[in-house]
Amino acid sequence: AQKVTQAQTEISVVEKEDVTLDCVYETRDTTYYLFWYKQPPSGELVFLIRRNSFDEQNEISGRYSWNFQKSTSSFNFTITASQVVDSAVYFCALSWPSGSARQLTFGSGTQLTVLP
Amino acid sequence: NAGVTQTPKFQVLKTGQSMTLQCAQDMNHEYMSWYRQDPGMGLRLIHYSVGAGITDQGEVPNGYNVSRSTTEDFPLRLLSAAPSQTSVYFCASGRVSPLHFGNGTRLTVT
């Protein structure tokens, strides 16, 4: 069975600090996809990134970067020079069944608060 | 382009009442799904559909019914609401990936 663990329930940082959100997953599938979604206080879900299980290259997008390591089953998310607007709940998610990218198992989320 | 539209945004029900949460998408996506979000538990898949006339159960299907008569619409029915169904419900659609989520329906069952 799939499982996604986000052990950090809440994180609070001061603006301009770097912050890393951890995500550990479990799956028996060989082909799967990992996702990060952002849920700001307004409540909508915003897609941030998708990574497939065959692509372990790290990705950087502006102040956001992602570190995917199959050896440790982790897909961590780092925000560099955090801003107040980054305050949100961040969800990591894993797709199923094998090869599909549409049914998702979500982690419980990490509430990030960036203080001015 | 409206994307994924959910109605209503808020709803209060009494235990035992029935209602339908509406979800419509205008992107011609074959795939649609329903999730519920509860505090500390992330989102959990209720039902999904890979096309008109085809539906399947997700992780937490009990107490919910769905049907898919058109590509655009995927309603979620609660036949007899229970307090345990108090939650925020999200509808999502997608051609492949990633999913496009609606803005959610906050349901309270008293």
Side-chain angles (χ1 to χ4, degrees):
Chain A
Q2 272 77 7
K3 184 177 181 181
V4 176
T5 301
Q6 295 180 255
Q8 304 153 308
T9 304
E10 297 182 18
I11 298 177
S12 182
V13 299
V14 177
E15 201 170 23
K16 297 185 182 179
E17 287 184 357
D18 299 347
V19 58
T20 295
L21 309 182
D22 297 333
C23 173
V24 175
Y25 63 93
E26 297 176 27
T27 182
R28 295 178 182 174
D29 294 336
T30 55
T31 303
Y32 53 88
Y33 296 83
L34 293 161
F35 300 78
W36 277 94
Y37 280 87
K38 173 183 179 179
Q39 186 175 45
S42 51
E44 72 272 24
L45 286 159
V46 179
F47 165 77
L48 295 178
I49 190 171
R50 182 187 79 171
R51 174 68 68 209
N52 74 54
S53 53
F54 296 106
D55 183 2
E56 288 195 70
Q57 285 189 346
N58 292 335
E59 179 156 340
I60 299 174
S61 176
R63 296 184 296 106
Y64 296 170
S65 63
W66 291 269
N67 182 3
F68 176 31
Q69 291 192 336
K70 287 182 73 172
S71 61
T72 57
S73 297
S74 64
F75 186 42
N76 296 337
F77 173 30
T78 297
I79 302 174
T80 302
S82 60
Q83 300 177 359
V84 173
V85 294
D86 295 327
S87 296
V89 180
Y90 291 86
F91 292 100
C92 180
L94 169 68
S95 69
W96 59 271
S98 181
S100 169
R102 297 187 295 193
Q103 278 85 263
L104 300 180
T105 295
F106 282 81
S108 56
T110 297
Q111 170 73 61
L112 173 65
T113 302
V114 181
L115 302 170
Chain B
N1 188 349
V4 180
T5 302
Q6 291 184 236
T7 56
K9 292 185 179 179
F10 302 95
Q11 183 70 49
V12 178
L13 290 178
K14 295 185 185 301
T15 298
Q17 286 185 320
S18 63
M19 81 158 295
T20 299
L21 279 63
Q22 301 291 344
C23 177
Q25 53 94 6
D26 61 359
M27 297 171 282
N28 201 31
H29 289 159
E30 296 175 348
Y31 181 86
M32 297 184 74
S33 55
W34 277 101
Y35 289 81
R36 59 177 289 173
Q37 180 180 13
D38 301 297
M41 299 186 71
L43 284 78
R44 292 179 293 168
L45 181 64
I46 305 172
H47 286 284
Y48 63 95
S49 169
V50 298
I54 306 170
T55 64
D56 206 344
Q57 296 181 351
E59 180 185 356
V60 288
N62 292 341
Y64 306 97
N65 283 346
V66 292
S67 60
R68 185 91 179 273
S69 57
T70 67
T71 299
E72 294 78 20
D73 300 299
F74 190 41
L76 179 71
R77 298 183 185 85
L78 285 71
L79 298 181
S80 180
S84 61
Q85 293 178 305
T86 293
S87 188
V88 180
Y89 291 85
F90 286 95
C91 178
S93 75
R95 188 169 299 282
V96 179
S97 175
L99 295 178
H100 299 259
F101 283 87
N103 288 333
T105 295
R106 185 174 295 274
L107 175 67
T108 302
V109 183
T110 61

